[in-house]
Amino acid sequence: MTAEEKIDKIDICGLMPDELTEAFKELNEPSYRAKQVYGWLHKQKAASFDEMTNISKKLRSALSEKYRVTVMNPEKVLVSGIDGTRKYVFSLFDGNVIEAVFMRYHHGNSVCISSQVGCRMGCTFCASTLEGCVRNLTAAEMLSEIYRIETDTGERVSNIVIMGSGEPFDNYDEVIRFIRMISDENGANISARNITLSTCGLVPGIIRFADEGLPVTLALSLHAPYQELREQMMPVARKYKLPEVLSACSEYFRKTGRRISFEYSVVRGVNDTPQHARDLARLIRNIHGHVNLIPVNPVEETGYESPDRSSVEQFRDILTDEGINATIRREMGRDISSACGQLRRRHIKDAGVCTD
Ligand code: SAH
């Protein structure tokens, strides 16, 4: 199948159970057949119609006339010798590449997925945004990030963080579809309670998300306690100002009962002083949440530097003393270390697509 042919066909992996039943009705097929195919796609993680052995050849060929099954191949897998973290570069049917990360924790396996090819938010410390956003990922492609990793490792994934490349609320509908499908009990059945979605603070997205009835943890990329500094680090902050963003977070907690996770990438000489920590504590004191400190992962093009471990610990201790729950993110896969979006960039460069 060529890329053009694939585009013409509908991706069957992105259809919700009721949509699939509807599609089968049009083919004069009973609804239990739709259930079987849904199970093949989302429980057995089939990568082609040919694998669906209890479906007749005739039906399989009728399906493949109209539909395609997402196939995402791991182009590259880096495996950490320290903690088993695996970083994947996947190629999509249109030649684009994305990355996802598999991490083993004591509470289960977690996967960090991308929601877009690239990103257009422009955060000044982040590698994902350096070439802008190429396109949104479909729900089926996001599902496939999880499915292909489960198939590759032979292990079940129990937690998902939507924290890879891309801004999930810039691809709202497909991300919601993804969350509904991955948490569907007739599919992968990963509880929405075990999903965290990270946003740079698109207020309309946060407000809409609060009403979806999904018990997902919201992570807000805060990174600065002051409006001006936040704008320097995150251009999107010019549009959605701190008071508005924080009040949307409070609303999210009020409606969902889920505590907010504030992400704070600590950058040496930029946002890492004791004063920053005290002002951060003051800023979020009345919001139910905790702070996740991420020592910045240096990206060559940004010029930002990682802070000393001791200054991050001091920052955490100040927050704790001020009554704010704070943790320092454990670095996974130190030996295969690369910041958000760097692996994809390196892969594109090696393939000679990117010339800078
Ligand atoms: N667009 C979303 C999710 C993707 S980024 C968001 O902004 O939240 C996931 C998290 O990693 C964000 O908090 C982001 O600010 C942070 N991040 C990106 N690049 C980083 C880097 N080089 N070092 C540390 N944290 C980084």
Side-chain angles (χ1 to χ4, degrees), residues 112-113 115-116 119 121 123-128 162-169 197-201 219-223 234 236 262-267 292 294-299 302 304 329 338-342:
C112 174
I113 64 157
S115 56
Q116 296 179 312
C119 184
M121 296 297 127
C123 296
T124 52
F125 47 86
C126 180
S128 302
I162 309 174
M163 266 189 202
S165 296
E167 166 50 42
F169 288 156
L197 179 150
S198 178
T199 179
C200 60
L220 175 78
S221 296
L222 193 51
H223 305 323
M234 311 173 72
V236 69
F262 292 104
E263 285 163 284
Y264 193 98
S265 297
V266 190
V267 187
N292 203 353
I294 319 165
V296 85
N297 222 324
V299 174
T302 67
Y304 284 151
R329 180 174 299 171
S338 63
C340 270
Q342 272 186 315

Coordinates of all heavy atoms in Angstrom, one line a residue, residues 112-113 115-116 119 121 123-128 162-169 197-201 219-223 234 236 262-267 292 294-299 302 304 329 338-342, ligand 1:
C112 N 5.3 7.5 28.4 CA 5.2 8.9 28.1 C 4.9 9.0 26.5 O 5.8 8.6 25.8 CB 6.4 9.6 28.5 SG 6.4 11.4 28.0
I113 N 3.8 9.5 26.1 CA 3.5 9.5 24.7 C 3.5 11.0 24.1 O 3.3 11.9 24.9 CB 2.1 8.9 24.4 CG1 0.9 9.7 25.0 CG2 2.0 7.5 24.8 CD1 -0.4 9.5 24.3
S115 N 1.8 13.7 21.6 CA 0.4 14.0 21.1 C 0.4 14.7 19.7 O -0.6 14.9 19.1 CB -0.4 14.8 22.1 OG 0.3 16.0 22.4
Q116 N 1.6 15.2 19.3 CA 1.7 15.9 18.0 C 3.1 15.6 17.5 O 4.0 15.1 18.2 CB 1.6 17.4 18.2 CG 0.3 17.9 18.7 CD 0.2 19.5 18.8 OE1 1.2 20.0 19.4 NE2 -0.8 20.1 18.3
C119 N 5.8 20.6 17.9 CA 4.9 21.4 18.8 C 5.0 22.9 18.3 O 6.1 23.3 17.8 CB 5.4 21.3 20.2 SG 4.4 22.1 21.5
M121 N 4.2 25.5 20.5 CA 4.1 26.4 21.7 C 5.3 27.3 21.9 O 5.2 28.3 22.6 CB 3.7 25.6 22.9 CG 2.4 24.9 22.8 SD 1.0 26.1 22.7 CE 0.2 25.5 21.2
C123 N 8.1 26.9 23.8 CA 8.8 27.1 25.0 C 10.4 27.1 24.8 O 10.9 26.3 24.0 CB 8.5 25.9 26.0 SG 6.8 25.9 26.4
T124 N 11.0 28.0 25.4 CA 12.4 28.3 25.0 C 13.4 27.3 25.5 O 14.6 27.4 25.1 CB 12.8 29.7 25.6 OG1 12.5 29.7 27.0 CG2 12.1 30.8 24.9
F125 N 13.0 26.4 26.3 CA 14.0 25.3 26.8 C 13.7 24.0 26.2 O 14.4 23.0 26.5 CB 13.8 25.2 28.4 CG 12.4 25.1 28.8 CD1 11.8 23.9 28.8 CD2 11.7 26.3 29.1 CE1 10.4 23.8 29.1 CE2 10.3 26.2 29.4 CZ 9.7 24.9 29.4
C126 N 12.7 23.9 25.3 CA 12.2 22.6 24.9 C 12.7 22.3 23.4 O 12.5 23.1 22.5 CB 10.7 22.5 25.0 SG 10.0 21.0 24.5
A127 N 13.1 21.1 23.2 CA 13.6 20.7 21.8 C 12.4 20.3 20.9 O 12.6 20.4 19.7 CB 14.5 19.4 22.0
S128 N 11.3 19.9 21.5 CA 10.2 19.5 20.6 C 9.7 20.6 19.7 O 9.1 20.3 18.7 CB 9.0 19.0 21.5 OG 9.4 18.0 22.3
I162 N 0.8 12.0 29.2 CA 0.7 12.6 27.9 C 1.6 13.8 28.1 O 1.2 14.9 28.4 CB -0.7 13.0 27.5 CG1 -1.6 11.8 27.7 CG2 -0.8 13.6 26.1 CD1 -3.1 12.0 27.5
M163 N 2.9 13.6 27.9 CA 3.9 14.6 28.3 C 5.1 14.5 27.3 O 6.2 15.1 27.6 CB 4.5 14.2 29.7 CG 3.9 14.9 30.8 SD 4.9 14.6 32.3 CE 3.6 14.9 33.5
G164 N 4.9 13.8 26.2 CA 6.0 13.8 25.2 C 5.8 15.0 24.3 O 5.3 16.0 24.8
S165 N 6.3 14.9 23.1 CA 6.2 16.1 22.2 C 4.8 16.5 21.9 O 3.9 15.6 21.8 CB 6.9 15.8 20.8 OG 8.3 15.5 21.1
G166 N 4.5 17.8 21.9 CA 3.2 18.3 21.5 C 2.5 18.9 22.7 O 2.8 18.6 23.8
E167 N 1.5 19.7 22.4 CA 0.6 20.3 23.4 C -0.8 19.6 23.2 O -1.5 19.8 22.2 CB 0.5 21.8 23.2 CG -0.6 22.5 23.9 CD -0.7 22.1 25.4 OE1 0.3 22.1 26.1 OE2 -1.8 21.9 25.9
P168 N -1.1 18.7 24.2 CA -2.4 17.9 24.1 C -3.6 18.8 23.8 O -4.5 18.4 23.0 CB -2.5 17.2 25.4 CG -1.4 17.6 26.2 CD -0.4 18.4 25.4
F169 N -3.7 20.0 24.4 CA -4.9 20.8 24.2 C -4.9 21.5 22.9 O -5.9 22.2 22.5 CB -5.1 21.7 25.4 CG -5.6 21.1 26.7 CD1 -5.4 21.6 27.9 CD2 -6.2 19.8 26.6 CE1 -5.8 21.0 29.1 CE2 -6.7 19.2 27.8 CZ -6.4 19.8 29.0
L197 N -2.2 14.2 32.1 CA -2.1 15.0 30.9 C -1.4 16.3 31.3 O -1.8 17.0 32.2 CB -3.5 15.3 30.3 CG -3.6 16.2 29.1 CD1 -4.8 15.9 28.3 CD2 -3.6 17.7 29.5
S198 N -0.3 16.6 30.5 CA 0.4 17.8 30.8 C 0.1 18.9 29.8 O 0.2 18.7 28.6 CB 1.9 17.5 30.8 OG 2.7 18.6 31.1
T199 N -0.2 20.1 30.3 CA -0.4 21.3 29.4 C 0.4 22.5 29.8 O 0.8 22.7 30.9 CB -1.9 21.7 29.4 OG1 -2.1 22.8 28.5 CG2 -2.4 22.1 30.8
C200 N 0.7 23.3 28.7 CA 1.5 24.5 29.0 C 0.5 25.6 29.5 O 1.0 26.7 29.8 CB 2.2 24.9 27.7 SG 1.0 25.3 26.4
G201 N -0.8 25.3 29.6 CA -1.7 26.3 30.2 C -2.7 26.9 29.2 O -3.0 28.1 29.3
A219 N -1.5 18.0 34.8 CA -0.3 18.6 35.1 C -0.1 19.9 34.4 O -0.4 20.0 33.2 CB 0.9 17.7 34.7
L220 N 0.2 21.0 35.2 CA 0.4 22.3 34.5 C 1.9 22.6 34.5 O 2.5 22.6 35.5 CB -0.4 23.4 35.3 CG -0.1 24.8 34.8 CD1 -0.9 25.0 33.5 CD2 -0.4 25.8 35.8
S221 N 2.3 23.0 33.3 CA 3.7 23.4 33.2 C 3.8 24.8 33.7 O 3.4 25.7 32.9 CB 4.2 23.2 31.8 OG 4.2 21.9 31.4
L222 N 4.3 25.1 34.9 CA 4.3 26.4 35.5 C 5.6 27.1 35.2 O 5.7 28.2 34.6 CB 4.0 26.2 36.9 CG 3.6 27.5 37.7 CD1 2.5 28.3 37.1 CD2 3.2 27.1 39.2
H223 N 6.7 26.5 35.7 CA 8.1 26.9 35.4 C 8.5 28.3 36.0 O 9.7 28.6 36.0 CB 8.4 26.8 33.9 CG 8.2 25.5 33.3 ND1 8.4 24.3 34.0 CD2 7.7 25.2 32.1 CE1 8.1 23.3 33.2 NE2 7.6 23.8 32.0
M234 N 8.0 30.8 28.3 CA 6.9 30.2 27.5 C 6.1 31.3 26.8 O 5.3 31.9 27.5 CB 6.0 29.4 28.5 CG 6.7 28.5 29.5 SD 5.6 27.8 30.7 CE 4.6 26.7 29.7
V236 N 3.5 31.2 25.2 CA 2.1 31.1 25.3 C 1.5 31.8 26.5 O 0.4 32.1 26.6 CB 1.7 29.5 25.3 CG1 2.2 28.9 26.6 CG2 0.2 29.3 25.1
F262 N 1.9 20.5 39.5 CA 2.6 21.7 38.9 C 4.0 21.2 38.5 O 4.8 20.8 39.4 CB 2.7 22.8 39.9 CG 1.3 23.4 40.2 CD1 0.7 23.1 41.4 CD2 0.7 24.2 39.3 CE1 -0.6 23.7 41.7 CE2 -0.6 24.8 39.6 CZ -1.2 24.5 40.8
E263 N 4.3 21.4 37.3 CA 5.6 21.1 36.8 C 6.5 22.3 36.8 O 6.1 23.4 36.3 CB 5.6 20.5 35.4 CG 5.1 19.0 35.4 CD 4.7 18.6 34.1 OE1 3.6 19.0 33.6 OE2 5.5 17.9 33.4
Y264 N 7.7 22.1 37.3 CA 8.6 23.3 37.4 C 10.0 22.8 36.9 O 10.7 22.1 37.7 CB 8.6 23.8 38.8 CG 9.2 25.2 39.0 CD1 8.5 26.3 39.1 CD2 10.6 25.3 39.1 CE1 9.0 27.6 39.3 CE2 11.2 26.6 39.3 CZ 10.4 27.7 39.4 OH 11.0 28.9 39.6
S265 N 10.4 23.2 35.7 CA 11.7 22.8 35.2 C 12.7 23.8 35.8 O 12.6 25.0 35.5 CB 11.7 22.9 33.7 OG 10.8 21.9 33.2
V266 N 13.6 23.4 36.5 CA 14.6 24.3 37.2 C 15.7 24.6 36.3 O 16.4 23.6 35.9 CB 15.0 23.6 38.5 CG1 15.8 24.7 39.4 CG2 13.9 23.1 39.4
V267 N 16.0 25.8 36.0 CA 17.0 26.2 35.1 C 18.0 27.1 35.9 O 17.6 28.1 36.6 CB 16.5 27.1 33.9 CG1 17.6 27.3 32.9 CG2 15.3 26.4 33.3
N292 N 6.3 19.2 41.0 CA 7.2 18.3 40.5 C 8.4 19.0 39.9 O 8.2 19.8 38.9 CB 6.4 17.5 39.4 CG 7.0 16.2 39.1 OD1 8.1 15.8 39.6 ND2 6.4 15.4 38.2
I294 N 11.7 19.5 37.9 CA 12.5 18.8 36.9 C 13.7 19.6 36.6 O 13.7 20.7 36.0 CB 11.7 18.7 35.5 CG1 10.2 18.4 35.8 CG2 12.3 17.7 34.6 CD1 9.3 18.7 34.6
P295 N 14.9 19.0 37.0 CA 16.1 19.7 36.7 C 16.2 19.8 35.1 O 16.1 18.8 34.5 CB 17.2 18.8 37.2 CG 16.6 18.0 38.3 CD 15.1 17.8 37.8
V296 N 16.4 21.0 34.6 CA 16.2 21.1 33.1 C 17.2 20.3 32.4 O 18.4 20.1 32.8 CB 16.3 22.6 32.7 CG1 17.8 23.0 32.5 CG2 15.5 22.9 31.4
N297 N 16.7 19.6 31.4 CA 17.6 18.8 30.5 C 18.2 19.7 29.4 O 17.4 20.2 28.6 CB 16.6 17.8 29.8 CG 17.2 16.4 29.8 OD1 18.4 16.3 29.6 ND2 16.3 15.4 30.0
P298 N 19.5 20.0 29.5 CA 20.0 21.0 28.5 C 19.8 20.6 27.1 O 20.0 19.4 26.7 CB 21.5 21.0 28.9 CG 21.6 20.3 30.1 CD 20.5 19.3 30.3
V299 N 19.4 21.5 26.3 CA 19.2 21.3 24.8 C 20.2 22.3 24.2 O 20.1 23.5 24.5 CB 17.8 21.7 24.4 CG1 17.6 21.6 22.9 CG2 16.8 20.7 25.1
T302 N 19.3 25.9 23.2 CA 18.6 26.9 24.1 C 19.5 27.6 25.0 O 19.2 28.7 25.5 CB 17.6 26.1 25.0 OG1 18.3 25.3 25.8 CG2 16.6 25.3 24.1
Y304 N 20.3 26.9 27.9 CA 19.9 26.8 29.3 C 20.8 25.7 30.0 O 21.1 24.7 29.4 CB 18.4 26.4 29.5 CG 17.5 27.5 29.3 CD1 16.2 27.2 28.8 CD2 17.8 28.8 29.6 CE1 15.3 28.2 28.6 CE2 16.9 29.8 29.4 CZ 15.6 29.5 28.9 OH 14.7 30.5 28.7
R329 N 11.8 15.1 40.2 CA 11.6 14.0 39.3 C 12.8 13.2 39.2 O 13.9 13.6 39.0 CB 11.2 14.5 38.0 CG 10.9 13.3 37.0 CD 10.4 13.7 35.7 NE 9.1 14.4 35.8 CZ 8.6 15.0 34.8 NH1 9.1 15.0 33.6 NH2 7.4 15.6 34.9
S338 N 18.0 11.9 27.0 CA 17.8 12.9 26.0 C 16.5 13.7 26.4 O 15.5 13.0 26.8 CB 17.7 12.3 24.6 OG 16.6 11.5 24.5
A339 N 16.5 15.0 26.2 CA 15.3 15.7 26.6 C 14.2 15.5 25.6 O 14.4 15.0 24.5 CB 15.7 17.2 26.6
C340 N 13.0 16.0 26.0 CA 11.8 15.9 25.1 C 12.1 16.3 23.7 O 12.5 17.5 23.5 CB 10.8 17.0 25.6 SG 9.7 16.4 26.8
G341 N 11.9 15.5 22.8 CA 12.0 15.9 21.4 C 13.4 15.8 20.8 O 13.6 15.9 19.6
Q342 N 14.4 15.5 21.7 CA 15.8 15.5 21.1 C 16.1 14.2 20.3 O 16.8 14.3 19.3 CB 16.8 15.6 22.3 CG 17.1 17.0 22.6 CD 18.2 17.1 23.7 OE1 18.2 16.4 24.6 NE2 19.1 18.0 23.5
Ligands
SAH1 N1 3.0 20.7 26.0 C1 2.8 20.0 27.2 C2 3.4 18.6 27.4 C3 4.7 18.4 26.8 S1 6.2 18.8 27.6 C4 3.3 20.9 28.3 O1 3.9 22.0 28.1 O2 3.1 20.6 29.5 C5 6.2 17.9 29.1 C6 7.0 18.6 30.2 O3 8.4 18.6 30.0 C7 6.6 20.1 30.3 O4 6.5 20.5 31.7 C8 7.7 20.8 29.7 O5 7.8 22.1 30.0 C9 8.9 20.0 30.2 N2 10.1 20.1 29.4 C10 10.3 20.2 28.0 N3 11.6 20.3 27.7 C11 12.3 20.2 28.8 C12 13.7 20.2 29.1 N4 14.6 20.4 28.2 N5 14.0 20.0 30.4 C13 13.1 19.9 31.4 N6 11.8 19.9 31.2 C14 11.4 20.0 29.9

